[in-house]
Amino acid sequence: MRTRTYGSEPVHRLTLRYPKTSKVVQHSTLAMECLFPLVYVAGGRFTRPFLAAAGSFHVANGFIMGLGRFMTAFPAMHPMVAYTTAPKTHPAVTGRDDRAAKAAALLLAGGIAASVVVAAQRRAVVLEGWPTSRKVVTRHGNELMYEAGGSESDAPVLVFCAGLASTSEHFAWITEWFAHGSDHAVVSYARAGYAGSRRRSKATYELTESVDDLEDLVRAVVPENRKVVLVGHSLGGDLIRRVAERMPERLAGLVYLDPSHPAELQRSDRQRAGAKDLRVTLTHVARYVQLGTGVLMSRPGWVDRLPPAYREKVFAQYTDARLWAAGKREWLAVEKEFTEFTGAIDPVTTPALIIAAQQTVDQDPEQFLLYNELARVHQGHGERGAVEVIEGADHDSMLTEARYAHQAARLMAEFLAAERQRDRADAVAAHEGGAER
């Protein structure tokens, strides 16, 4: 009612003056529209009340919103509704042929059955993982599915942590690049509730649970004689930083890919504005996909920009209710913790590289300031912290498009090579210093 195009200033003032009544009218209108198919039950006894409510609604639209055509276009269907909902014994509908309605009901039932079958098949694909998938059980009882590959040299192992409502396969271009073109081994995993990983914990979810899980995964999967590089995208960036505070002795570095910052909801207008929309989106999608509507979801373009071998499994995950339920659970915890965040991030004694997407920092300059602030968290203890920007990339395409992902992989490789060279130089200096003494 407050819009200039279709609104009404007097009615808008009434909604402000009587907010409770306004809310009742809103929900009553929604209920009338959503429950309108009930005219076809109870022998047509609901037809007149529903048609009266709908007709009144359209007349109100005509006068209040200036939509005069509503008063003729929509009620033009009401006689047909009345005719098709009347009991077949009524004299006015003698000889009515109801086979079309029965055929439509049969088709609907068949569509529902097909959607259940497709959902079950996709769920099976999601839960089975890959032929090389393995599992580890964490302190919370959660079962994490992970994949490992690459060289068995003494080079640091890269462990990848995905973002919110995302899959470990989002890193495919980067993990393939390292597994087949470097001396690094790679480990990618799905957080509890995603893909084949199962959340067994009965406690209220907090981000600390995912931090614990990642720490347990690293300690269980990576041999103690090998250093670890944690790589996190979006929310995964915040999780790897928290893990780094717990086990600095095991880490050779951190790589943040467009990471979340715990102060972003307080300092970034763009992030704060998007937070509410994200919560609503995750809530609705999780609810509707659980009802079996995943079969109706269109295939997003970024899926077909991943390596071909990963596309079908990623799409199966994307249309599976578990991904959206896990995303909603995580976002509620993120929103609570980030909103309550005060102070500054504690220093981290591990070298780090921050790789930002150009569109992220262009659209939200505050985000770039947060990235530089995160870099200084690592620089404060004499460690290195640098920020690199991938031109043209956005938050997701920096992983899902080969050209951007490979650029990120090259930046990561250069960073890791420089750190290894630095460690060797430090070792030589320490050895020579000991010999002199």
Side-chain angles (χ1 to χ4, degrees):
M1 290 297 100
R2 65 184 176 185
T3 63
R4 293 186 179 183
T5 304
Y6 294 117
S8 170
E9 187 176 347
V11 175
H12 180 230
R13 288 199 297 267
L14 286 174
T15 64
L16 297 178
R17 187 176 179 182
Y18 304 104
K20 292 183 178 179
T21 302
S22 173
K23 190 172 184 178
V24 170
V25 172
Q26 291 176 48
H27 286 83
S28 298
T29 303
L30 287 169
M32 182 272 293
E33 292 182 308
C34 294
L35 298 176
F36 197 88
L38 289 180
V39 295
Y40 286 96
V41 301
R45 285 194 292 272
F46 297 143
T47 300
R48 289 182 179 180
F50 269 106
L51 291 184
S56 300
F57 172 63
H58 297 309
V59 169
N61 284 338
F63 283 99
I64 296 173
M65 303 178 70
L67 298 171
R69 287 175 293 178
F70 276 39
M71 292 191 292
T72 56
F74 288 97
M77 282 294 294
H78 291 177
M80 280 70 85
V81 173
Y83 179 80
T84 55
T85 57
K88 203 168 183 180
T89 56
H90 195 286
V93 296
T94 301
R96 186 183 66 195
D97 189 344
D98 290 339
R99 286 179 296 178
K102 295 177 180 178
L106 185 61
L107 288 173
L108 177 62
I112 293 173
S115 68
V116 170
V117 172
V118 171
Q121 291 176 335
R122 288 177 176 172
R123 174 65 60 83
V125 170
V126 168
L127 293 178
E128 71 178 353
W130 298 91
T132 55
S133 294
R134 307 172 210 173
K135 283 191 176 181
V136 64
V137 179
T138 72
R139 72 190 76 174
H140 296 285
N142 298 332
E143 299 176 11
L144 302 184
M145 179 176 285
Y146 71 94
E147 291 78 41
S151 172
E152 296 183 1
S153 69
D154 62 350
V157 178
L158 278 65
V159 179
F160 292 80
C161 183
L164 181 92
S166 184
T167 74
S168 59
E169 288 79 8
H170 272 67
F171 294 111
W173 287 117
I174 298 177
T175 54
E176 293 280 348
W177 193 93
F178 276 101
H180 301 298
S182 76
D183 59 349
H184 293 277
V186 297
V187 174
S188 60
Y189 80 106
R191 284 197 297 279
Y194 292 94
S197 297
R198 298 178 183 271
R199 183 173 187 260
R200 303 298 190 186
S201 174
K202 302 301 181 183
T204 301
Y205 176 79
E206 296 180 353
L207 289 180
T208 304
E209 180 183 317
S210 291
V211 176
D212 294 340
D213 284 353
L214 178 53
E215 180 185 3
D216 293 348
L217 174 81
V218 171
R219 295 190 184 280
V221 171
V222 182
E224 291 188 6
N225 64 331
R226 297 190 69 175
K227 289 284 189 177
V228 176
V229 175
L230 297 177
V231 184
H233 175 247
S234 194
L235 174 61
D238 188 64
L239 298 180
I240 65 170
R241 177 185 58 79
R242 299 191 192 194
V243 172
E245 295 173 349
R246 300 181 178 186
M247 48 191 305
E249 77 288 349
R250 294 292 311 273
L251 302 182
L254 298 180
V255 177
Y256 300 96
L257 301 171
D258 239 19
S260 298
H261 189 291
E264 63 186 28
L265 295 186
Q266 300 178 40
R267 290 173 47 182
S268 168
D269 293 337
R270 183 181 179 85
Q271 292 284 354
R272 188 164 52 252
K276 182 179 179 180
D277 291 340
L278 180 58
R279 181 174 68 251
V280 171
T281 297
L282 289 172
T283 298
H284 286 312
V285 175
R287 180 181 302 154
Y288 296 138
V289 175
Q290 285 173 343
L291 294 175
T293 60
V295 69
L296 302 176
M297 296 179 73
S298 59
R299 188 182 181 99
W302 57 263
V303 169
D304 290 322
R305 289 192 288 271
L306 292 170
Y310 294 82
R311 294 172 185 172
E312 295 308 316
K313 188 174 290 290
V314 170
F315 185 57
Q317 293 184 33
Y318 177 75
T319 57
D320 185 64
R322 295 177 70 254
L323 179 142
W324 299 99
K328 176 188 174 184
R329 177 174 62 242
E330 290 183 346
W331 177 246
L332 293 176
V334 168
E335 197 172 29
K336 180 178 184 298
E337 293 189 25
F338 282 20
T339 301
E340 296 174 353
F341 178 79
T342 58
I345 299 176
D346 294 332
V348 181
T349 59
T350 305
L353 170 67
I354 300 173
I355 302 178
Q358 181 188 3
Q359 292 190 38
T360 298
V361 297
D362 283 354
Q363 294 170 3
D364 188 2
E366 184 64 37
Q367 199 70 42
F368 191 61
L369 297 177
L370 291 170
Y371 290 164
N372 280 283
E373 190 175 288
L374 182 58
R376 290 193 293 273
V377 167
H378 294 269
Q379 296 166 349
H381 273 236
E383 300 294 351
R384 295 203 310 164
V387 180
E388 300 283 352
V389 178
I390 298 180
E391 294 186 7
D394 63 29
H395 186 68
D396 294 315
S397 68
M398 69 186 302
L399 299 184
T400 58
E401 288 197 25
R403 54 176 173 158
Y404 298 139
H406 287 165
Q407 185 177 344
R410 285 190 290 271
L411 290 172
M412 293 167 59
E414 292 169 3
F415 165 73
L416 296 175
E419 287 304 315
R420 293 176 73 181
Q421 184 64 33
R422 180 187 179 193
D423 289 343
R424 293 192 189 98
D426 290 344
V428 170
H431 178 74
E432 291 177 349
E436 290 177 0
R437 287 194 298 272

